[in-house]
Amino acid sequence: MAAILLSPQCVNAKDYLMLNPWQPTTNQQRNYDQKSNDLGVAQSLIDLAEMYRKTGEYEKAKPLNERALIIREKTLGPDNPDVASCLNNLALLYEATGDYEKAKLLYERALSINEKALGFEHLDVATILNNLAVLYDDIGDYEKAKPLYERALSIPEKALGPDHPDVAACLNNLAALYQKSGDYEKAKP
């Protein structure tokens, strides 16, 4: 004989919950659904903002990333790596529009969050280190860029090995910095 499942419409809600104790209460389900919906909206905003960023429409991308950041901070808390990702994305936009000070502050906050949440040797930490180094490189502050590039390089070297494409990209950035600063011997492979 096959088991027959009761749908919630067949019994009152209290009886249904007694039959299904793992079923969340209405408020729990509503809160979960709202968080899930909010995070889905945030991701859609991020995706759209990234499309605008890639096409150079930075002013259209900024408010979308700002909204996504607010949603993620509210939903996940201010110290979540997904919040750091939003901060990094927003910093890229500010950097692209020449607001280096604002970009620097956003990168530094994102870096702090990821170092605390993920550890100092995580690949996401390396990404933000690299982005912050690029910012300093772009404004000609090679002394600040160099240790950031070096640290950004060491993380994927350890995690992925010396022959990984991410390592090559980091080496390329560091070599370009050496070249710009006139240290041609260090720029060589």
Side-chain angles (χ1 to χ4, degrees):
M1 180 178 230
I4 299 172
L5 297 175
L6 295 174
S7 71
Q9 294 81 21
C10 295
V11 294
N12 68 45
K14 183 179 177 184
D15 293 339
Y16 181 72
L17 287 174
M18 289 179 69
L19 292 171
N20 298 288
W22 60 87
Q23 179 69 28
T25 65
T26 306
N27 285 337
Q28 288 172 327
Q29 185 64 41
R30 191 175 304 119
N31 288 341
Y32 173 79
D33 289 346
Q34 186 60 47
K35 281 185 178 184
S36 180
N37 287 341
D38 289 349
L39 292 174
V41 168
Q43 189 59 53
S44 294
L45 292 167
I46 290 165
D47 293 343
L48 183 57
E50 182 61 10
M51 189 254 336
Y52 282 132
R53 186 184 71 80
K54 285 182 176 181
T55 59
E57 297 183 74
Y58 306 124
E59 295 307 319
K60 288 183 179 179
K62 279 182 193 175
L64 298 172
N65 270 328
E66 288 167 347
R67 279 184 56 204
L69 175 61
I70 290 167
I71 291 169
R72 282 188 170 176
E73 283 180 320
K74 180 182 171 193
T75 307
L76 302 171
D79 298 323
N80 187 285
D82 287 340
V83 170
S85 176
C86 279
L87 292 165
N88 181 71
N89 293 346
L90 201 50
L92 288 168
L93 291 170
Y94 281 106
E95 184 177 358
T97 58
D99 192 344
Y100 298 114
E101 190 57 35
K102 183 109 176 172
K104 181 176 90 75
L105 294 172
L106 293 168
Y107 283 137
E108 288 172 347
R109 182 171 168 221
L111 181 61
S112 175
I113 290 168
N114 276 352
E115 285 176 337
K116 288 176 188 165
L118 304 172
F120 291 93
E121 299 297 317
H122 195 277
L123 292 171
D124 288 350
V125 169
T127 297
I128 297 170
L129 286 166
N130 182 74
N131 291 348
L132 185 55
V134 167
L135 181 143
Y136 283 122
D137 193 343
D138 287 347
I139 61 174
D141 193 342
Y142 304 136
E143 291 302 312
K144 287 187 179 174
K146 182 183 171 211
L148 295 169
Y149 277 139
E150 290 171 341
R151 189 167 160 224
L153 169 63
S154 73
I155 295 169
E157 268 184 332
K158 290 176 193 168
L160 305 171
D163 297 327
H164 193 275
D166 289 354
V167 173
C170 290
L171 281 169
N172 186 60
N173 289 344
L174 189 56
L177 175 80
Y178 286 136
Q179 184 179 10
K180 288 178 201 170
S181 61
D183 195 346
Y184 300 109
E185 282 305 308
K186 285 187 177 178
K188 292 179 182 178

